Amino acid sequence: MSKGHFVVRAEVRDWLVAAGVAAALLATGVSGQYSATGLGLLGYALLVAGGLALGFGRRAPVPVLAVTGVCAVAYQAAGLDVPAVAFLFAVYAAMRAGHRMITTVASVAVLAALPLAALVSGTHTTGEAFAQARGALEIAWLIAAGAAGEALRQAERRADEAERTREETARRRADEERLHIARELHDSLTHQISVIKVQSEVAVHVAHKRGEQVPEALLAIREAGREAARELRATLEALRDDDTSPPHGLDHLPDLVERAARTAVETTLTIEGQRREVPAAVGRTVYRIVQESLTNIARHAEATTASVRIHYRPDAVAVQVDDDGKATPDTTPVPGIGLLGMRERVTALGGHLRAAPRDEGGFTVRAVLPVLPEFQEFPGIREFPSTPLGRVS
């Protein structure tokens, strides 16, 4: 909403409060519950004027403070034992506007004048006059306490909104910086790496065409160019993933496995349990785990087969990727960036991940990700049911 609309609503609210206070004071006076004498036109006017003056409290808090204070003292002097509610509202408005010194002086003056006004009315003794002045403020202080509580609640709400706004701003800046880094990497590295890759490919092709022996250094350059291009694409894809509209999830696993199966590694996918919707962050993390695992298998495992299993549990989603590569139980896995990234993603979602060589040879990556808000921890990662693997199309 625009600022103008907010001001209009605030002024309307002020006048509604003023009208309500004036009506309450007038009703109290008419009831005669606190009145020791009859009500005249002057008494009605003082009660209504003190209440309606609050309508100007936002624009002129000090004059309103003076008017409500004079009205409170005046109707006490007229013999009307009515709470000084309007004056308490005016004190709150003046303090909120920052007029601390003037508000303090006015409050002390009204507190001193109220018993004197009761004495002037001639209907009370000195003790009764002080008791009447005290009674006039007791209900008003209760109302003031309620108003202060409401003001504190509004302040806390605004503080929460400000904190949420700061978090959103920080997240937006982080996204912008991530995209900026992605653009810089793309502009500064993609062209150079592409040139190296293309030139090395051409050089190897020309050497084969001429029947010449290709130098090992040239083959190493070509392979390094291919690897650098793949790594750069993966890095740019990760940087551009904004985590709000995830491009990949569980529904994309069949395509991922199908692409992996086109390589020298025969890859299968098995879905177990009742399929259901899971949080986007969980689906994205499962996809990244499978993607990174299959990439590592193709690059380093020297495997011929690989299997991907997704198990839907009542409170979690489990994923397991196995291969029959060269890893043995005596092999010590080296934690690379990909494995560390997988572990960080799983831990951030409150899950568990295990990556280690298999007893029968090869390597396994297992992860369990909770999908219920109340889920806190898993006792451990259990083996999947023994079921035959089959391709999921």
Side-chain angles (χ1 to χ4, degrees):
M1 299 299 291
S2 66
K3 184 176 179 181
H5 288 146
F6 175 81
V7 172
V8 170
R9 289 207 306 269
E11 291 180 351
V12 171
R13 186 171 62 249
D14 291 343
W15 279 107
L16 289 176
V17 171
V21 172
L25 292 175
L26 186 58
T28 303
V30 170
S31 68
Q33 182 178 357
Y34 299 105
S35 180
T37 62
L39 285 175
L41 292 178
L42 179 60
Y44 286 106
L46 290 172
L47 292 173
V48 174
L52 293 181
L54 297 176
F56 300 96
R58 189 178 299 271
R59 289 177 292 180
V62 174
V64 170
L65 182 68
V67 170
T68 55
V70 170
C71 289
V73 173
Y75 61 66
Q76 286 288 326
L80 304 180
D81 191 7
V82 179
V85 176
F87 179 70
L88 267 295
F89 274 90
V91 168
Y92 168 75
M95 288 295 290
R96 184 178 180 182
H99 303 289
R100 298 181 179 86
M101 183 60 67
I102 296 176
T103 305
T104 302
V105 172
S107 300
V108 172
V110 171
L111 288 174
L114 282 177
L116 296 178
L119 286 174
V120 169
S121 67
T123 58
H124 301 286
T125 63
T126 302
E128 291 173 342
F130 278 97
Q132 178 179 340
R134 183 184 62 188
L137 291 175
E138 284 179 350
I139 298 178
W141 282 120
L142 292 176
I143 297 175
E150 175 63 17
L152 179 60
R153 188 187 69 83
Q154 294 290 342
E156 291 175 346
R157 182 179 60 83
R158 288 193 294 269
D160 292 340
E161 290 179 354
E163 180 66 23
R164 184 168 57 254
T165 301
R166 283 194 296 269
E167 292 177 356
E168 292 175 354
T169 301
R171 190 183 305 111
R172 184 175 64 254
R173 289 179 178 175
D175 292 340
E176 293 174 353
E177 181 64 21
R178 187 175 64 250
L179 293 177
H180 174 71
I181 294 174
R183 286 193 297 268
E184 290 294 326
L185 285 176
H186 181 273
D187 295 340
S188 61
L189 294 180
T190 302
H191 177 69
Q192 287 82 351
I193 292 177
S194 298
V195 170
I196 295 173
K197 180 175 177 293
V198 170
Q199 293 294 335
S200 61
E201 295 280 1
V202 171
V204 171
H205 175 73
V206 170
H208 283 307
K209 188 175 181 180
R210 293 177 178 176
E212 300 174 355
Q213 183 178 1
V214 182
E216 291 295 331
L218 185 57
L219 295 175
I221 292 174
R222 183 184 66 173
E223 186 60 31
R226 292 175 176 177
E227 182 72 14
R230 287 192 295 264
E231 292 289 348
L232 183 57
R233 282 195 299 269
T235 301
L236 292 176
E237 183 179 2
L239 286 172
R240 287 168 176 157
D241 187 357
D242 61 3
D243 288 342
T244 57
S245 54
H248 297 107
L250 288 168
D251 293 338
H252 298 86
L253 287 179
D255 295 335
L256 180 62
V257 171
E258 184 178 353
R259 288 197 301 269
R262 295 172 186 166
T263 65
V265 181
E266 182 181 351
T267 308
T268 56
L269 172 65
T270 298
I271 306 294
E272 300 169 346
Q274 184 65 37
R275 291 198 187 192
R276 55 193 173 90
E277 293 294 328
V278 300
V282 173
R284 182 170 54 249
T285 299
V286 171
Y287 181 90
R288 294 301 185 194
I289 291 173
V290 175
Q291 182 185 47
E292 182 64 28
S293 299
L294 294 179
T295 300
N296 289 337
I297 291 172
R299 293 178 184 174
H300 312 298
E302 298 180 6
T304 58
T305 63
S307 64
V308 178
R309 296 186 183 184
I310 306 299
H311 186 199
Y312 288 91
R313 299 179 182 176
D315 53 6
V317 173
V319 55
Q320 179 172 323
V321 182
D322 296 325
D323 68 71
D324 62 351
K326 62 181 181 180
T328 64
D330 298 330
T331 304
T332 301
V334 179
I337 295 178
L339 181 58
L340 292 176
M342 284 192 289
R343 193 175 301 279
E344 289 174 356
R345 285 178 178 268
V346 172
T347 302
L349 295 177
H352 298 276
L353 181 138
R354 179 175 179 267
R358 300 194 302 166
D359 293 338
E360 61 271 29
F363 201 80
T364 184
V365 176
R366 304 172 186 169
V368 178
L369 300 168
V371 295
L372 295 180
E374 64 269 22
F375 190 84
Q376 297 298 325
E377 63 179 359
F378 288 89
I381 299 178
R382 300 184 296 273
E383 291 291 340
F384 288 96
S386 179
T387 57
L389 296 178
R391 180 172 304 280
V392 176
S393 58

